[in-house]
Amino acid sequence: MNIRCGIEINTRLADRVHILGYGLNWRDPGFVRRLEEFRSRREFRARRIVEALQKQGVPLSFEDVRAASRETLGRPHVADALIRKGWVKSRQEAFNRFLAQGRPGYVESMGPSPEEAISLIREAGGFASLAHPKTVGDLESLEGWMKQGLEGIEAYYALHSPSETARYAALAESRGLLATGGSDFHGPGSGRNRALGVAVPDRVFDRFMERLSRCA
């Protein structure tokens, strides 16, 4: 069976810019090494967030956060620890009260730049798409990311309105980018727990699959 792997990489741009990678070779040594580096940065950030919360009188330990996941740590896992401790009732409340930018537990992202993320995906034999462009804002950096090798934009996204979908699909068409689709499903209790899958037109799917077939 021919398995194609994908990834979503959070970048350091105020937690707004995420880069999707499709068709990459997850065993590529360079990819594995850089991914471990990114994970280490995320863990360090999680520790800093815990320290910031402790200074605000929130009795949370890093062990509480680590108990939430054996995977790569991020703010959602801090949120889950806050839920278990009874400080909040949901991830959304945790972000609103403690973890969003401007809140007492916020620590600047230590992730890679969008350009680094795009290069990493390409070097591992895959292609990159800009995730949920609505969160990015004015997209003034899109041209630069395309020069770095960005090939797609997630026009079909579970939280896009029909007009937003049309806008980003038209943007992809005008720039010669692939239109990609995703639900941004993050699992039960995440606040992003809609059913998996998002509808895309057949022609969009076919173009995506043709590009995927050319990945290393």
Side-chain angles (χ1 to χ4, degrees):
M1 182 170 61
N2 190 14
I3 298 175
R4 297 294 187 179
C5 296
I7 191 171
E8 179 175 357
I9 301 176
N10 295 6
T11 75
R12 67 172 66 118
L13 291 188
D15 301 302
R16 296 179 296 108
V17 180
H18 297 179
I19 302 295
L20 301 165
Y22 295 101
L24 48 84
N25 174 13
W26 62 274
R27 292 190 178 91
D28 178 81
F31 174 76
V32 172
R33 185 170 57 253
R34 291 300 306 282
L35 211 57
E36 283 300 322
E37 177 190 337
F38 297 162
R39 287 179 178 138
S40 295
R41 294 187 204 175
R42 287 173 66 86
E43 181 170 313
F44 182 71
R45 184 192 189 195
R47 290 181 182 275
R48 292 278 307 279
I49 290 172
V50 169
E51 292 170 2
L53 291 173
Q54 288 172 345
K55 290 177 182 178
Q56 297 296 319
V58 180
L60 192 71
S61 70
F62 181 73
E63 288 68 32
D64 292 327
V65 176
R66 174 49 78 189
S69 175
R70 304 312 303 176
E71 303 172 358
T72 302
L73 290 179
R75 288 183 299 165
H77 303 110
V78 180
D80 290 345
L82 289 168
I83 293 170
R84 289 198 307 277
K85 287 288 187 176
W87 281 83
V88 296
K89 295 182 179 179
S90 67
R91 282 187 177 181
Q92 190 60 57
E93 184 183 355
F95 274 77
N96 291 344
R97 288 182 58 188
F98 298 109
L99 304 176
Q101 193 167 19
R103 299 291 90 197
Y106 182 78
V107 173
E108 289 287 342
S109 174
M110 300 174 185
S113 68
E115 292 81 5
E116 287 178 298
I118 293 166
S119 292
L120 175 65
I121 291 164
R122 286 169 55 82
E123 288 166 7
F127 65 95
S129 177
L130 178 64
H132 37 72
K134 181 179 178 179
T135 67
V136 178
D138 57 18
L139 294 175
E140 64 181 11
S141 299
L142 186 61
E143 196 69 36
W145 298 334
M146 289 173 60
K147 290 179 180 178
Q148 192 66 33
L150 184 76
E151 295 185 45
I153 186 168
E154 193 176 44
Y156 299 88
Y157 177 62
L159 298 182
H160 281 170
S161 67
S163 62
E164 288 166 341
T165 297
R167 173 192 170 193
Y168 293 120
L171 176 63
E173 186 71 25
S174 68
R175 298 297 186 93
L177 293 168
L178 287 169
T180 64
S183 65
D184 209 17
F185 181 80
H186 282 220
S190 66
R192 301 183 199 168
N193 51 5
R194 295 186 178 187
L196 284 169
V198 62
V200 299
D202 288 345
R203 60 179 177 78
V204 171
F205 178 77
D206 290 344
R207 187 181 176 198
F208 174 87
M209 292 303 295
E210 189 281 327
R211 177 64 184 90
L212 191 64
S213 72
R214 292 188 280 112
C215 290

